[in-house]
């Protein structure tokens, strides 16, 4: 038990820390003028967490510091890996396994058929991490990052129960030992976490890997501590004492020192052994409590590894044998049609729930009517469902020999199921993609409600507390019909006997909060306001272009509402024909034009900061690829555009910079082949840091920065 004096001292320290952190947050986020390094800032936060964990009774003081600041990921300091963290080459078919071994034999100068000892391990689908021990004590943990430099996640990794803070037999451990392995989340823990998130109205994770990554990359280790992360060691980096006994011997030593090593790891001596391992693990895959996406074969002998070396960024002595996408069969119970914001009719398959790759799938989209016809998918069919990685599940096709006799080809509706208007089929330029669209426009309840949902959504006006359910309720009870009504809601509500505060699902407090959130959006960034109209082909980027071009909502409306103004749209760089035709259609419809003008009378728009001519990247062509960790792709793009760069989707000789995050593939290869400068996200931030758009600029495009 802590004494009163200890508590008093901790209270004082916490108060000072919370004040300091709040000040540094403001300097960093609000003023763009940090006074301390990211490392020092992290130290403050770590100390805060330490005290918070030790004195839970004081947590309200620390809570004040958690509320402030945003973009916490920018706060991880960088760690240069003493030995780079490499990736693995892949093979997908069993027939390539003997070729992998033959390559190794050739390289080592061994006769074909000579035995080479391998270690075979499951390939865990998590994120890799390097954990450094000095004299048996955990001193640093870092993510892989770009392989050369990762993020310092020491405080967070310290919260993982699987990872010892002090090695077992620490006195016999090498003075320096970098343990490498995979941080992951078990399937059961993932499901429970998502349930908790759903109950708390929080973000749901798509799969255990995303959940593990999201949980590890938290600025607040307390959150990481509350997430059930696990660890398997399977490699090492710097060691002060050379490992004895090959890979398997080293794993044994790691296990002896208290690190978890995957129990399915097996010694193999031939292609036959490796393939048998692959098949065995493949067969057990569904019963494992963690996701794997293949197996890894590694040469066991460390001297042989030395000789084999590397090809580009992967070792010659190891390879990943990946599983193909996961498939399952189930029964298609029904096909329902959903009507989207722009009238598109999307068929949704209602399935008998089935687990594919550890995820329960009970419905999935069927793309469009041609797809259903081409695959001849019928209600009642047994269908094959596939899920690959993060990808949304898809139906591959029916299992014909299990088709019930009464199953008839599916007749796609030619009328909107909601408003009964005619639904016409559209093809794209190539005549390929066929989408049927309801022609009801704003006469169709579904389209109106979808537009309202879009209007209030995060990317558009971002009105807190006005989610899909509330919008449906407000629409059904006749309170809102169009976006401008949202801003009249408070005044109208006061006149009604059935005030919202009396309605189910709306407490007095939540109604007050909702009105407050609506009031906060009476002034918004111009590009958001344009985007909020939900005009087809006028997404975030085009909205930004239109905002930049017209400078005010009135100027936009005036030009878009007159045929001559609309004719001039094609002079705006980047705004293509599809968007122009769509704007034309939207504004030549009197009802939608009135709705837009009405909205303009209720909301004032903040003009956009203009693109800079003098930043280090003005006029440069930039391509973003891979997963960005510190900002969303949209934020990166609009930030770059505000600095005067041109953002492109394809790499060519003309490209000045390719900013590559983890998972970058073809674009990165092409950039390297063409000799285009490749930057990590951090390097990009460093390059543009002094000129980064201010928080105020970003608020106009990115909401609360
Ligand atoms: S060995 C130089 N072993 O797969 C070899 N990697 O695609 C370093 N992974 O970045 C990696 N399970 O995140 C190795 N048993 C295993 C693994 C494994 C999962 C991940 C790791 C690596 C990625 C490469």
């Amino acid at each position: 038990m802590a004494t009163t004096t200890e508590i008093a001292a901790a209270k004082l320290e916490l108060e000072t820390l919370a004040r300091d952190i709040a000040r540094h947050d403001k300097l960093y986020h609000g003023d763009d003028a940090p006074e301390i390094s990211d490392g020092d800032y992290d130290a403050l936060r770590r100390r805060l967490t330490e005290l918070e964990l030790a004195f839970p009774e004081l947590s309200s003081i620390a809570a004040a510091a958690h509320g402030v600041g945003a973009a916490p990921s920018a706060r991880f300091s960088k760690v240069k890996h003493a030995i780079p963290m490499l990736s693995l080459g892949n093979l997908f078919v069993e027939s390539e396994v003997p070729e992998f071994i033959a390559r190794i034999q050739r390289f080592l100068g061994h006769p074909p058929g000579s035995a080479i000892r391998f270690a075979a391990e499951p390939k865990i689908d998590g994120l890799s991490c390097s954990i450094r021990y000095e004299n048996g004590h955990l001193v640093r943990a870092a993510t892989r990052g770009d392989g050369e430099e990762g993020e310092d996640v020491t405080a967070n990794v310290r919260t993982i129960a699987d990872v010892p803070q002090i090695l077992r037999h620490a006195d016999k451990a090498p003075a320096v030992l970098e343990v490498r392995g995979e941080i992951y989340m078990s399937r059961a823990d993932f499901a429970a976490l998502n349930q908790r998130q759903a109950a708390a109205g929080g973000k749901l994770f798509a799969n255990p890997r995303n959940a593990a990554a999201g949980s590890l990359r938290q600025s607040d280790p307390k959150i990481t501590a509350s997430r059930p992360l696990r660890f398997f060691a399977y490699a090492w980096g710097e060691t002060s004492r050379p490992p004895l006994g090959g890979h398997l011997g080293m794993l044994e030593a790691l296990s002896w020192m208290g690190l978890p090593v995957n129990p399915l790891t097996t010694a193999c001596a031939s292609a036959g052994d490796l393939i048998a391992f692959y098949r065995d693990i493949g067969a057990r895959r569904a019963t494992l409590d963690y996701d794997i996406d293949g197996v890894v074969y590694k040469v066991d002998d460390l001297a042989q590894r030395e000789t084999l070396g590397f090809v580009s960024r992967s070792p010659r002595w190891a390879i990943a044998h990946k599983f193909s996408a996961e498939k399952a069969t189930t029964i298609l119970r029904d096909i329902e049609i959903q009507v989207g914001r722009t009238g598109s009719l999307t068929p949704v398959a209602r399935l008998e729930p089935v687990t594919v790759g550890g995820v329960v799938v009970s419905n999935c989209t069927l793309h469009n009517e041609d797809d259903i016809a081409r695959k001849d998918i019928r209600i009642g069919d047994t269908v094959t469902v596939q899920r690959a990685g993060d990808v949304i599940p898809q139906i591959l096709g029916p299992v014909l020999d299990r088709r019930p006799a009464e199953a008839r080809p599916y007749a796609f509706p030619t009328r909107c199921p909601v408003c009964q208007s005619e639904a016409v089929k559209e093809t794209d330029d190539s005549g390929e993609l066929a989408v049927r669209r309801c022609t009801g426009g704003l006469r169709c309840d579904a389209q109106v409600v979808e537009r309202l949902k879009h209007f209030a959504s995060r990317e558009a006006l971002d009105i807190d507390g006005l989610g899909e359910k509330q919008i449906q309720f407000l629409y059904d009870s006749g309170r809102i019909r169009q976006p401008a009504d949202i801003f009249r809601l408070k005044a109208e509500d006061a006149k009604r006997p059935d005030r919202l505060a009396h309605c189910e699902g709306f407490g007095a407090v939540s109604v007050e909060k909702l009105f407050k959130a609506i009031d906060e959006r009476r002034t918004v960034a111009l590009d958001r306001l344009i985007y909020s109209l939900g005009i087809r082909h006028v997404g975030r980027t085009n909205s930004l272009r239109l905002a930049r071009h017209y400078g005010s909502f009135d100027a936009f409306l005036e030009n878009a509402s007159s045929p001559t103004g609309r004719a001039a749209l094609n002079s705006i760089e980047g705004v293509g024909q599809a968007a122009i035709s769509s704007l034309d259609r939207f504004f030549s419809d009197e009802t939608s034009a009135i709705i837009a003008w009405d909205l303009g009378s209720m909301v004032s728009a903040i003009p956009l900061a203009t693109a800079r001519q003098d930043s280090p990247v003005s006029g440069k062509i930039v391509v973003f690829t891979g997963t960005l960790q510190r900002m969303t792709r949209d934020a990166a793009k609009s930030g770059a555009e505000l600095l005067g760069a041109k953002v492109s989707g394809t790499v060519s000789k003309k490209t000045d910079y390719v900013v590559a995050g983890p998972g970058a593939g073809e674009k990165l290869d092409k950039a390297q082949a063409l000799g285009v400068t490749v930057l990590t996200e951090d390097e990009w931030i460093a390059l543009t840091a002094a000129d980064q758009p201010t928080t105020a600029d970003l608020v106009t495009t990115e909401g609360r920065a």
Side-chain angles (χ1 to χ4, degrees):
M1 273 299 278
T3 64
T4 347
T5 335
E6 280 171 336
I7 295 176
K11 181 166 180 279
L12 197 66
E13 194 184 345
L14 261 174
E15 282 167 346
T16 318
L17 273 171
R19 225 180 7 252
D20 283 354
I21 289 173
R23 197 172 77 82
H24 290 303
D25 274 332
K26 184 176 171 302
L27 284 168
Y28 185 87
H29 295 292
D31 309 345
D32 255 4
E35 279 179 8
I36 56 171
S37 71
D38 287 354
D40 290 346
Y41 177 88
D42 274 345
L44 292 180
R45 278 223 169 259
R46 274 198 299 270
R47 179 70 185 143
L48 182 87
T49 310
E50 240 170 59
L51 289 174
E52 205 179 357
L53 291 172
F55 300 92
E57 61 271 49
L58 299 177
S59 63
S60 61
I61 306 172
H66 291 313
V68 278
S73 54
R75 286 300 187 170
F76 288 110
S77 51
K78 287 184 228 160
V79 176
K80 186 141 182 62
H81 300 301
I83 297 178
M85 290 182 77
L86 301 160
S87 57
L88 293 170
N90 293 319
L91 56 86
F92 291 92
V93 286
E94 291 182 359
S95 58
E96 287 171 4
V97 176
E99 175 46 33
F100 164 67
I101 298 183
R103 242 184 353 248
I104 290 174
Q105 286 163 336
R106 271 198 306 276
F107 209 91
L108 291 176
H110 289 195
S114 60
I116 293 184
R117 186 174 147 95
F118 288 96
E121 303 166 355
K123 186 170 186 300
I124 319 295
D125 203 4
L127 63 152
S128 50
C129 188
S130 184
I131 307 173
R132 186 177 173 95
Y133 289 89
E134 286 177 6
N135 302 314
H137 290 247
L138 191 164
V139 293
R140 175 154 303 122
T143 60
R144 177 170 179 269
D146 60 4
E148 300 288 336
E149 210 170 50
E151 285 176 330
D152 186 335
V153 284
T154 315
N156 299 4
V157 168
R158 282 191 197 283
T159 69
I160 303 176
D162 270 355
V163 177
Q165 302 280 325
I166 302 177
L167 294 175
R168 218 189 296 143
H169 308 295
D171 51 330
K172 298 194 186 73
V176 174
L177 171 64
E178 265 177 28
V179 179
R180 290 180 176 176
E182 203 82 350
I183 291 181
Y184 67 98
M185 193 178 282
S186 77
R187 287 178 182 164
D189 285 338
F190 161 73
L193 171 64
N194 258 0
Q195 248 171 26
R196 287 202 302 275
Q197 294 283 102
K203 173 183 154 196
L204 294 189
F205 295 102
N207 54 41
R209 183 169 48 78
N210 284 359
S215 302
L216 182 68
R217 299 185 75 266
Q218 289 286 339
S219 65
D220 179 0
K222 238 182 111 193
I223 299 182
T224 310
S226 73
R227 305 275 174 82
L229 292 176
R230 312 282 320 255
F231 181 73
F232 274 131
Y234 52 64
W236 58 94
E238 192 182 344
T239 50
S240 55
R241 199 194 300 150
L244 296 172
H247 182 83
L248 290 164
M250 182 64 172
L251 292 189
E252 230 169 80
L254 292 178
S255 168
W256 179 76
M257 288 185 266
L259 287 150
V261 169
N262 193 296
L264 300 169
T265 303
T266 303
C268 295
S270 65
D273 285 357
L274 294 179
I275 291 170
F277 178 81
Y278 173 79
R279 290 186 186 164
D280 177 44
I281 298 293
R284 293 201 216 182
R285 184 179 184 189
T287 64
L288 297 177
D289 189 31
Y290 47 86
D291 278 357
I292 58 173
D293 56 349
V295 296
V296 185
Y297 309 139
K298 301 172 179 176
V299 169
D300 186 62
D301 186 295
L302 304 183
Q304 288 178 347
R305 284 192 186 185
E306 191 79 28
T307 314
L308 286 160
F310 303 90
V311 225
S312 87
R313 310 200 38 76
S314 318
R316 256 191 215 94
W317 45 262
I319 202 146
H321 188 169
K322 293 281 209 59
F323 295 131
S324 53
E326 291 192 65
K327 291 180 193 149
T329 55
T330 187
I331 296 165
L332 174 63
R333 292 281 174 221
D334 198 5
I335 295 177
E336 279 173 22
I337 303 290
Q338 279 177 356
V339 185
R341 168 167 54 90
T342 56
S344 55
L345 304 192
T346 308
V348 179
R350 300 286 173 216
L351 302 167
E352 192 58 42
V354 63
T355 304
V356 193
V359 172
V360 179
V361 177
S362 51
N363 51 54
C364 84
T365 90
L366 280 162
H367 302 294
N368 55 49
E369 74 180 280
D370 281 1
D371 201 42
I372 301 178
R374 195 162 20 88
K375 293 176 180 162
D376 186 19
I377 296 171
R378 306 182 183 187
I379 295 170
D381 267 344
T382 294
V383 290
T384 311
V385 182
Q386 169 174 296
R387 227 190 107 248
D390 277 355
V391 185
I392 313 163
Q394 57 179 143
I395 293 186
L396 293 181
V399 182
L400 290 178
D401 54 13
R402 287 168 58 189
R403 170 166 283 169
E406 69 281 8
R408 296 282 160 265
Y410 179 70
F412 202 93
T414 53
R415 296 208 155 262
C416 168
V418 175
C419 71
Q420 310 308 323
S421 300
E422 196 190 346
V424 295
K425 203 164 162 181
E426 271 179 17
T427 43
D428 70 356
D429 296 342
S430 61
E432 280 281 311
L433 187 91
V435 174
R436 205 174 270 279
R437 254 173 231 287
C438 157
T439 53
L442 295 170
R443 290 183 310 281
C444 175
D445 285 335
Q447 289 193 49
V448 175
V449 171
E450 289 307 313
R451 282 197 204 186
L452 286 165
K453 286 181 189 167
H454 167 83
F455 181 79
S457 69
R458 250 194 91 97
E459 293 255 283
L461 272 246
D462 189 18
I463 304 178
D464 254 358
L466 196 55
E468 302 202 347
K469 260 196 238 142
Q470 289 81 0
I471 286 178
Q472 191 69 56
F473 174 84
L474 293 170
Y475 184 81
D476 291 342
S477 58
R479 286 167 158 96
I480 57 172
R481 293 274 136 191
Q482 50 153 320
D485 293 341
I486 295 173
F487 297 95
R488 290 189 273 261
L489 197 56
K490 188 173 170 182
E492 293 298 315
D493 192 56
K495 299 181 204 154
R496 291 183 67 139
D498 58 336
R499 306 276 303 262
L500 278 179
H502 308 150
C503 297
E504 204 180 328
F506 282 92
V509 180
S510 68
V511 172
E512 272 322 299
K513 271 196 184 154
L514 175 61
F515 290 155
K516 187 163 167 279
I518 293 172
D519 282 344
E520 279 170 7
R521 293 294 179 269
R522 287 183 195 270
T523 305
V524 291
L526 177 56
D527 60 318
R528 274 183 181 257
L529 192 57
I530 296 176
Y531 174 73
S532 76
L533 291 171
I535 303 168
R536 227 180 128 205
H537 300 299
V538 182
R540 296 290 303 271
T541 313
N542 272 341
S543 300
L544 202 58
R545 290 179 176 129
L546 291 165
R548 207 174 282 145
H549 185 83
Y550 289 114
S552 77
F553 197 55
D554 278 353
F556 165 68
L557 291 179
E558 265 160 34
N559 280 281
S561 303
S562 83
T564 39
R566 287 202 295 271
L569 279 167
N570 59 12
S571 67
I572 308 175
E573 203 180 320
V575 176
Q577 198 46 52
I580 294 176
S581 315
S582 176
L583 280 159
D584 202 61
R585 236 171 292 128
F586 187 94
F587 282 98
S588 34
D589 177 272
E590 205 182 333
T591 320
S592 28
I594 291 174
I595 286 175
W597 280 98
D598 196 11
L599 176 64
S601 73
M602 302 301 294
V603 178
S604 39
I606 314 165
L608 206 68
T610 42
R612 304 208 183 137
Q613 312 272 315
D614 55 349
S615 86
V617 297
S618 300
K620 304 281 189 211
I621 301 177
V622 187
V623 175
F624 292 95
T625 181
T627 319
L628 301 181
Q629 317 268 320
R630 293 172 55 171
M631 50 192 156
T632 62
R633 187 66 76 86
D634 268 345
K637 278 189 188 168
S638 34
E641 286 183 344
L642 278 175
L643 291 174
K646 278 206 182 110
V647 179
S648 164
T650 45
V651 177
S652 75
K653 274 192 302 213
K654 290 197 197 140
T655 311
D656 293 292
Y657 298 114
V658 169
V659 182
E666 269 172 36
K667 289 183 193 171
L668 175 58
D669 295 345
K670 191 160 176 203
Q672 279 162 344
L674 292 172
V676 172
T677 309
V678 177
L679 301 178
T680 62
E681 189 181 355
D682 286 339
E683 285 166 344
W684 166 259
I685 290 170
L687 174 68
T688 54
D691 290 74
Q692 271 303 336
T694 63
T695 312
D697 289 336
L698 281 182
V699 166
T700 66
T701 57
E702 298 309 323
R704 291 164 246 155

